[in-house]
Amino acid sequence: MHAARAAAATGNRDAAAPRLRRAAGLAGQLGARPLAQLIARYARQLRVDLPAASQAAAPTRYGLTEREFEVLRLVADGRGNRDIAAELFISPKTASVHVSNILAKLGVTTRVQAAAVAHRRGIADADAP
């Protein structure tokens, strides 16, 4: 994982990709789910595809996907769509779609309400799935 980050930091995404795939495979073999989730999240940021077997299962708690959990954590932190997009390496429009889906799935109408739900349920914590 660290080797992949180092390669990505120098702009060498092609070198980062196989390192991320290797890290994901090792995390999967070890059953290190939190590490596998961290690797999968970083791979998404770099737009690196991981083999399906090495990816952590998509969480179903509250009906949110892994990406929606990431977006909700940022919403709960008070971040806007542009900030969310920059953090997750997606477009602001995609961030907006994720926020709309989150609001619908949580049964709320505003970002503030979604943030309150996230804090009440512990979703806003960095360690939550």
Side-chain angles (χ1 to χ4, degrees):
M1 171 93 179
H2 292 295
R5 284 187 181 203
T10 64
N12 193 347
R13 184 182 166 278
D14 291 336
R19 289 172 171 87
L20 277 175
R21 289 184 188 106
R22 176 76 175 133
L26 290 171
Q29 289 173 1
L30 294 171
R33 183 176 166 88
L35 178 59
Q37 290 174 334
L38 180 67
I39 293 166
R41 188 174 305 132
Y42 191 62
R44 278 194 307 277
Q45 288 176 347
L46 293 180
R47 298 183 184 196
V48 170
D49 292 326
L50 297 177
S54 67
Q55 293 184 23
T60 58
R61 202 166 67 151
Y62 309 114
L64 300 175
T65 66
E66 176 74 23
R67 179 59 96 183
E68 289 167 343
F69 273 110
E70 291 172 341
V71 171
L72 180 55
R73 285 183 193 112
L74 295 172
V75 167
D77 195 33
R79 309 278 288 277
N81 290 346
R82 286 187 184 163
D83 290 337
I84 292 168
E87 176 79 19
L88 300 178
F89 300 96
I90 58 177
S91 75
K93 176 63 179 165
T94 301
S96 173
V97 169
H98 283 308
V99 170
S100 295
N101 290 340
I102 291 165
L103 296 179
K105 289 179 180 182
L106 294 180
V108 297
T109 57
T110 69
R111 297 167 79 94
V112 172
Q113 290 172 333
V117 169
H119 285 290
R120 257 195 324 270
R121 296 181 182 173
I123 299 170
D125 300 333
D127 295 336

